[in-house]
Amino acid sequence: MTGEQALLPVPGFDLAVHRARIEEAERRMRRSGWRRHLPQRWHLVLMPLSIIMVLPFVWMVLTSFMTDTEINRIPPTIWPHHLHTGGYSKVLASSDFPYWFLNSLIVSGAAVLAQLVLCSLAGYAFARIQFRGSTVMLILLLATALIPFQLTVIPTFVIFHDIGLINTLGALIVPQLTSALGIYLMYSFFQSFPRELEEAGRIDGCSRLQVFWKIVLPLARPALAALGIITFIYAWNDLFWPLIAITSSRTFTVQVGLTTFQGEHVTHWSAIMAGTVLTTAPVLLVFLVGQRRFVQAITGAVKG
Amino acid sequence: MATTLDEATIARDANCRIRRSGNVAGWAFSFPSVFIVLGLSFIPMIWAAYLSLTDSNLVSAGHFVGLANYAALSKDPMLRQAFENTLLLAVMYLPVGLAAGLGVAILLNQKIKLIGFYRTCFLVPFVASTAAEGLLFGFIFDPDFGIVNAGLQAVGLPRQGFLQNPSQALVVLAIVYFWTQFGFNIVIYLAALQDIPQEVLEAASIDGAGKWSKFWHVIVPTIRPVTVFLLVWGLIDVFQFFDLVYTTTKGGPLNSTLTLVYYIWELAFNFFTAGYGAAVAYVLFFTSLIVTIAALAYGRRRRVTL
């Protein structure tokens, strides 16, 4: 490491020679082996650990393809004899699972669309437009992060009950339309956004909404992707509020529906595991595709 | 002279117009979000404060009972149990969760192959739904058909009750919870480690610092704000522990896994004692608020003295 400082190019120094010296130093380091051996032996720690992390999911998938007799055998079967899809057909045919899945898709989809629009509008306003009361509002919005949902849930239920939203998907969508976290994510993104482009748009006679829609939003795609992924995962996984707001089976989300399996299918573990596979699959798919953005979003939200 | 005056007026006019248009646009852009977020947090919060002073049963408004709910709180053995269980969870999970998170983050921060693969593996339990994971671990730790007991039996150890044993259930939940949250700690620590300027570590090496002293005297103090954040976050999260309890033990056996939020949910939506539930929720709120402020104050003080 200290060698690198000595290798800094001196003004007038030949760059090719400089590069050659760096390469020579790297080769020496590689030969001495510290870069190869020292970190790589940690795979012995990391590999078992990471396998333990995903092993329960592997077991979940394996069990979902077993027959109930295979599962109930003592000692249990590790590998299904053949791909038995009885659990899946049981879940899909003899429960309201298809409804739940569709409901979850509707709620999460609506949440994503609404947050992309509303959070970016609000985040842009707080980051870029000077208006009366903006600072106070921003502080109030961020302060809501300190209010646990468990405190507000009882009156929220009463409010939604009074306006007749309880037991409808509307009760699940309305609280997800926007979020303090989403506003904050977009706010911090727009703060580091180059001003010149918007000014050029304004001079060309665009209204603020046109500037936002035609210039700002297309360039905000990375932040929007991160926000969309986080919102989807959060909305899809939510259990507490849907459990309270929904009472009829056809309006359940997958998470709530899944919990009803507990008592009902006590011995049908293959069906329960098939249900959990179908429930986790969409989120894991979104996560695997957008992992980089997801990590950026959660670390970005912390650093700010 | 006249022209400069004109220019000043024009500038002031333009300025005024821009500010006015800013007011309109700013409010128009932010109003929907502000309305929904504030409307669904501060109004219910104040309402909950009022509810906690009534004997509301969720459906009807109930009568004003003054501080009776809060007086009953102090004599409620269930609440005491829920509080103890929640604290126990925090004590079991937080130190291990943070230390292990930092440990793995340090390993991943080296120039190591497969880092993407590892990060994915560690994050998957954090991303997947806790409800599904609760069901999954209910199965894995099932006393009769679970794979863990089968494993224990295979190596000649006695079978365990796990989630059905009052003295084991909370520990099992803490382990599952660790498994779900571990990846988050790793990712946050990893981002913090990557932000440590390389020069600082080099300077420490030049001064003759070994690996351990670099860890204790450079890395740990530098990332202390992140540790404080993860601590606060973890505490708030433990205080809201619900999904895993609901999908595994439902607070049992013998209330050994009853947590604060599970108790609030039971009070309000199972026993229909919404007024009392609101009072418990307020106690939870103030406790977590005090803990948060204390942790933040501690973090700030330590950063200054460094």
Side-chain angles (χ1 to χ4, degrees), chain B residues 1-13:
Chain B
M1 194 67 200
T3 49
T4 51
L5 191 75
D6 275 349
E7 272 168 18
T9 328
I10 290 165
R12 196 171 343 111
D13 270 11

Side-chain angles (χ1 to χ4, degrees), chain A residues 1-2 5 35 38-43 45-47 49-54 56-57 59-60 63 71-78 118-119 121-122 124-126 129-134 137 140-141 143-144 146-162 174-175 177-180 183 202 208-209 212 233 236-240 243-244 255 258-259 261-262 267 269 272-273 276 279-280 283-284 287-288 291-292 294-295 298-299 302-303, chain B residues 18-19 21-27 29-30 32-34 36-45 47-48 51 58-59 104 107-108 110-114 116-133 135-140 142 144-147 150 153 159 178-179 182-184 187-188 191-192 195 198 202 206 211 226 229 236 239-240 242-243 246-250 261 264-265 268-269 274 277-278 281-282 284-285 288-289 292:
Chain A
M1 291 288 156
T2 49
Q5 273 168 344
R35 206 159 261 261
L38 190 79
Q40 303 310 338
R41 72 157 180 246
W42 290 111
H43 285 301
V45 179
L46 289 169
M47 193 51 88
L49 254 181
S50 54
I51 287 173
I52 289 173
M53 296 301 274
V54 289
F57 290 106
W59 186 232
M60 171 171 97
T63 322
I71 294 168
N72 294 348
R73 197 174 295 152
I74 295 173
T77 324
I78 300 295
L118 294 182
C119 293
L121 272 173
Y124 180 74
F126 288 121
I129 305 173
Q130 288 186 318
F131 62 100
R132 206 179 289 264
S134 63
M137 278 304 143
L140 277 179
L141 278 178
T144 61
L146 289 174
I147 305 174
F149 184 57
Q150 290 74 37
L151 179 64
T152 55
V153 67
I154 301 171
T156 305
F157 176 86
V158 176
I159 294 171
F160 278 69
H161 182 80
D162 288 349
V174 170
L177 287 175
T178 179
S179 73
I183 296 167
R202 293 285 282 168
R208 277 188 200 270
L209 199 60
F212 176 75
I233 292 176
W236 184 273
N237 285 345
D238 193 19
L239 171 69
F240 191 64
L243 187 70
I244 289 164
Q255 312 296 340
L258 205 57
T259 65
F261 280 170
Q262 254 179 317
T267 50
W269 279 112
I272 300 180
M273 287 302 119
T276 56
T279 303
T280 43
V283 155
L284 291 188
F287 168 68
L288 290 179
Q291 183 181 170
R292 207 162 51 93
F294 176 78
V295 171
I298 57 175
T299 53
V302 172
K303 276 183 200 164
Chain B
I18 286 171
R19 201 170 304 148
S21 91
N23 274 337
V24 173
W27 275 107
F29 279 27
S30 62
S33 283
V34 169
I36 293 170
V37 173
L38 298 190
L40 284 178
S41 52
F42 285 107
I43 294 172
M45 190 180 156
W47 193 332
L51 271 179
L58 196 64
V59 191
V104 173
L107 295 188
L108 290 180
Q110 307 186 45
K111 290 211 163 42
I112 197 162
K113 282 177 189 155
L114 294 174
F117 168 77
Y118 288 134
R119 200 179 57 184
T120 309
C121 290
F122 288 125
L123 267 179
V124 160
F126 175 69
V127 174
S129 98
T130 322
E133 292 171 342
L135 280 178
L136 172 61
F137 276 92
F139 175 53
I140 287 176
D142 188 275
D144 300 319
F145 309 112
I147 188 81
Q153 203 174 23
R159 301 174 80 90
F178 172 82
W179 177 77
F182 186 40
F184 179 73
V187 168
I188 302 296
D195 276 358
Q198 207 55 46
E202 279 169 27
I206 293 169
K211 270 197 174 156
V226 175
F229 164 81
I236 291 177
F239 274 126
Q240 310 201 344
F242 177 83
D243 294 10
Y246 184 80
T247 49
T248 54
T249 59
K250 297 235 152 68
V261 170
I264 292 172
W265 173 81
F269 301 101
Y282 253 96
L284 168 71
F285 169 59
S288 57
L289 195 67
T292 307

Side-chain angles (χ1 to χ4, degrees), chain B residues 52 93 122 153 160 185:
Chain B
S52 74
Y93 159 70
F122 288 125
Q153 203 174 23
Q160 303 293 323
N185 296 348

Side-chain angles (χ1 to χ4, degrees), chain B residues 97-250:
Chain B
L98 292 195
L102 179 57
V104 173
I106 286 176
L107 295 188
L108 290 180
N109 193 34
Q110 307 186 45
K111 290 211 163 42
I112 197 162
K113 282 177 189 155
L114 294 174
I115 178 166
F117 168 77
Y118 288 134
R119 200 179 57 184
T120 309
C121 290
F122 288 125
L123 267 179
V124 160
F126 175 69
V127 174
S129 98
T130 322
E133 292 171 342
L135 280 178
L136 172 61
F137 276 92
F139 175 53
I140 287 176
F141 284 108
D142 188 275
D144 300 319
F145 309 112
I147 188 81
V148 182
N149 259 345
L152 286 179
Q153 203 174 23
V155 296
L157 291 169
R159 301 174 80 90
Q160 303 293 323
F162 294 123
L163 292 166
Q164 292 175 21
N165 181 334
S167 55
Q168 293 174 352
L170 198 65
V171 181
V172 173
L173 284 189
I175 292 170
V176 177
Y177 184 64
F178 172 82
W179 177 77
T180 65
Q181 295 296 309
F182 186 40
F184 179 73
N185 296 348
I186 295 173
V187 168
I188 302 296
Y189 266 136
L190 187 56
L193 289 174
Q194 283 165 350
D195 276 358
I196 298 180
Q198 207 55 46
E199 299 87 61
V200 176
L201 293 172
E202 279 169 27
S205 301
I206 293 169
D207 290 347
K211 270 197 174 156
W212 278 106
S213 66
K214 243 197 287 187
F215 174 74
W216 281 114
H217 300 295
V218 182
I219 294 178
V220 170
T222 318
I223 59 171
R224 180 164 282 133
V226 175
T227 305
V228 171
F229 164 81
L230 283 175
L231 198 69
V232 172
W233 179 275
L235 268 173
I236 291 177
D237 220 45
V238 173
F239 274 126
Q240 310 201 344
F241 201 85
F242 177 83
D243 294 10
L244 272 183
V245 181
Y246 184 80
T247 49
T248 54
T249 59
K250 297 235 152 68

Side-chain angles (χ1 to χ4, degrees), chain B residues 67-83 263 267 276 279-280 283:
Chain B
L67 291 171
N69 285 331
Y70 290 93
L73 277 175
S74 53
K75 292 179 228 103
D76 184 348
M78 294 271 278
L79 177 64
R80 203 193 153 84
Q81 173 101 52
F83 212 87
Y263 188 45
L267 285 174
Y276 185 61
V280 176
V283 171

